[in-house]
Structures are given as C-alpha cells and as structure tokens.
Amino acid sequence: MATTSAYAVAAGGDAAAAPSRGTLLRPRPPPSRLAFLSRTPARWASISLSPGLNHAAPAGAAAEGSTGMEMEEKEGPAWVELEPIGSEEQLDRALVAAQQRGAPIVLLWTASWCRKCIYLKPKLEKLAAEYYPRILFYCVDVNAVPQKLVNRAGVTKMPSIQTWSDSQKQGEVIGGHESWMVIDDVRKMIEQEE
C-alpha cells in the first residue's frame, strides 16, 4: 500500500513524484502582496515628497518665486496635549483666563483606572487641535484632586467632558458610549457655546 505525502498532494503529484524524505521542495516565491519584502533596499529606498503644507520652501525660492507653488497657510497642530489641572486654584486660574478671552474651556474628568478615559483622551487631543488656540482643553484626574473640586463640578461618572464659561458649568457629555459619538456630542456642545 502506497501512501501519498502532503508535499505531493499539495504539488498536485502522486506518491511516485513525491520527494524522498531527505529532499525538500523549492521555496515558493512570496505572495504578490508581500513581494516588496524580497526586493533589495536600493530599489525601493528612495522616496520623494512633493512640497506641501508641512514642508518648508528653500530659503531663496520664496523670494525669487521660482518654485511655481505659492506657500499656503500653515496647518495647525495635529493634536494638542490636554493641560492637567491638579487643584482648585489651577481651575480658577483657567476659568479667569477663559473669561478674559471670552471663550469657554473644556474639561475632561478622568481616572487612571477608567479604560474609556484612556481611549478617549487621544481623540479629545485631536479635537482640541481643531479649536486651538480659541478654546483650551484641560484634563482633571479625579484621583489626584481634592474631592471638593470633584463635587464642585458635579462629576459622578467617568469620563465626563464639560464646557465651562463665566466660571460655571454650561454643558456636559458623559463618555460611556462609542468614542466617535462622544466626540460628536462634544463638538455640538462646543458649537452651542460659541
């Protein structure tokens, strides 16, 4: 009784065409989606970038006008780190500064143990970049501030995102659902304040 090896069946042959125990099949070429891995670095290492918003023009090119491309307005930052608030005095200073600017501030109330807070913070940092520098975003860790401050803000669930203006809470979003929904709700809350 002849047995057929897995190599022979995969190759479409029979037992007679199967390689002997010591013989290996030739390695297959990589799939096309991985073909770039088999190329030598010299063939794919050079990358050229077209001039764009984040690329600086050569020093003399802007004066001479030789680039043929006008420099457009610079884009803002991709994200803005939320400034931490660690005491009631810091919150009061932020509220006074916002009142002088005539713009609200956004507070993210988080806790180090809150997984939703951890996931939401980078998304709020991107949202903060859209409104920077008009509206400033702050982050308050409820475990690192006095309970008096948490009670003053009326925070009962995490994460809570609040808008404050004129030293009073104007709106609140509880971030217990999908992050994109929370960001949309925060965006609407900010737009109502402006």
Side-chain angles (χ1 to χ4, degrees):
M1 174 179 205
T3 59
T4 307
S5 74
Y7 287 109
V9 172
D14 57 357
S20 65
R21 222 181 233 307
T23 312
L24 295 176
L25 292 176
R26 287 185 301 174
R28 293 185 192 160
S32 60
R33 67 180 182 277
L34 300 176
F36 70 93
L37 294 174
S38 64
R39 294 184 188 151
T40 58
R43 290 181 57 194
W44 55 272
S46 68
I47 298 173
S48 62
L49 299 174
S50 62
L53 294 177
N54 291 331
H55 302 290
E64 297 171 13
S66 63
T67 61
M69 219 182 198
E70 295 291 323
M71 284 297 288
E72 297 179 26
E73 287 185 35
K74 284 250 182 213
E75 285 185 5
W79 60 276
V80 174
E81 187 171 334
L82 305 182
E83 187 175 329
I85 290 185
S87 68
E88 212 164 342
E89 293 80 28
Q90 281 182 318
L91 177 61
D92 289 335
R93 282 194 299 261
L95 289 170
V96 167
Q99 194 169 11
Q100 290 173 349
R101 283 192 333 269
I105 63 170
V106 177
L107 294 176
L108 168 64
W109 296 85
T110 67
S112 57
W113 47 263
C114 172
R115 185 151 317 262
K116 289 270 186 187
C117 303
I118 294 167
Y119 291 146
L120 188 62
K121 188 175 179 182
K123 291 167 178 49
L124 277 172
E125 289 174 338
K126 287 182 181 181
L127 182 67
E130 292 178 25
Y131 292 100
Y132 183 81
R134 290 188 335 255
I135 298 174
L136 299 180
F137 285 59
Y138 297 90
C139 182
V140 185
D141 185 351
V142 296
N143 296 327
V145 297
Q147 187 64 34
K148 182 180 175 185
L149 180 58
V150 177
N151 293 342
R152 174 181 168 189
V155 175
T156 57
K157 297 179 181 172
M158 250 45 84
S160 291
I161 302 100
Q162 300 174 339
T163 54
W164 287 63
S165 61
D166 300 326
S167 298
Q168 294 191 2
K169 179 172 70 171
Q170 303 297 324
E172 182 174 30
V173 173
I174 307 293
H177 44 281
E178 295 293 327
S179 59
W180 65 269
M181 295 171 89
V182 173
I183 296 299
D184 282 347
D185 290 345
V186 171
R187 188 176 277 122
K188 289 174 190 173
M189 183 173 60
I190 292 170
E191 297 300 326
Q192 287 176 352
E193 285 297 313
E194 288 189 311

